[in-house]
């Protein structure tokens, strides 16, 4: 079986992104949900990493980052959920990415991305 690649330009096309902040309603038909808990879909960690890298790459207009030295996932992200994703510059080579539920403000995930 060959793994199917998901194109981030398609998967994250509906993100509203300005000044290092994205607001997004996670699409119920996202290809990332395919097979990921069919009766209780959860946006997988790899999708959060992919979206974070995509946003940072678009924001900086630079090639893909080198690594993700840390990632923490505190609460599940589900289809139709409204999220806010904030990019924060930590230093010359590292960025923090925070995923929050827009309704509650609860932190869903944090990542550090190294350029």
């Amino acid at each position: 079986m060959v793994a199917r690649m998901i194109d981030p330009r398609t998967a994250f096309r509906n993100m509203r992104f300005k000044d290092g902040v994205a607001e997004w309603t996670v699409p119920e038909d996202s290809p990332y949900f395919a097979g990921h808990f069919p009766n209780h879909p959860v946006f997988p960690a790899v999708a959060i990493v992919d979206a974070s890298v995509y946003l940072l790459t678009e924001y900086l207009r630079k090639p893909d980052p080198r690594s993700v030295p840390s990632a923490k996932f505190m609460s599940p992200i589900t289809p139709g959920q409204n999220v806010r994703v904030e990019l924060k510059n930590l230093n010359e080579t590292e960025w923090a990415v925070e995923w929050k539920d827009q309704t509650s403000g609860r932190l869903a995930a944090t990542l550090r991305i190294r350029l």
Side-chain angles (χ1 to χ4, degrees):
M1 179 180 202
V2 176
R4 178 175 49 96
M5 299 298 290
I6 297 172
D7 182 351
R9 292 171 305 204
T10 302
F12 310 122
R13 71 184 173 282
N14 294 329
M15 282 187 167
R16 295 178 309 279
F17 186 61
K18 183 178 180 185
D19 298 328
V21 176
E23 294 180 348
W24 189 43
T25 301
V26 180
E28 294 184 18
D29 64 349
S30 171
Y32 285 100
F33 289 122
H36 204 260
F37 309 122
N39 295 322
H40 185 33
V42 174
F43 202 57
V46 70
I48 295 170
V49 172
D50 284 354
S52 298
V53 167
Y54 172 75
L55 286 171
L56 188 58
T57 300
E58 289 293 306
Y59 183 62
L60 298 176
R61 301 280 183 217
K62 291 185 177 183
D64 288 343
R66 292 180 175 253
S67 65
V68 179
S70 70
K72 295 179 183 178
F73 307 98
M74 285 73 90
S75 61
I77 296 173
T78 56
Q81 185 172 347
N82 295 316
V83 294
R84 178 180 174 94
V85 185
E86 298 177 17
L87 304 177
K88 298 178 182 180
N89 183 241
L90 300 175
N91 59 49
E92 209 174 281
T93 61
E94 286 194 335
W95 286 75
V97 183
E98 291 185 347
W99 287 68
K100 295 179 183 175
D101 177 78
Q102 278 190 314
T103 303
S104 69
R106 183 179 60 217
L107 196 58
T110 61
L111 297 89
R112 286 181 72 123
I113 299 177
R114 187 169 294 141
L115 303 177

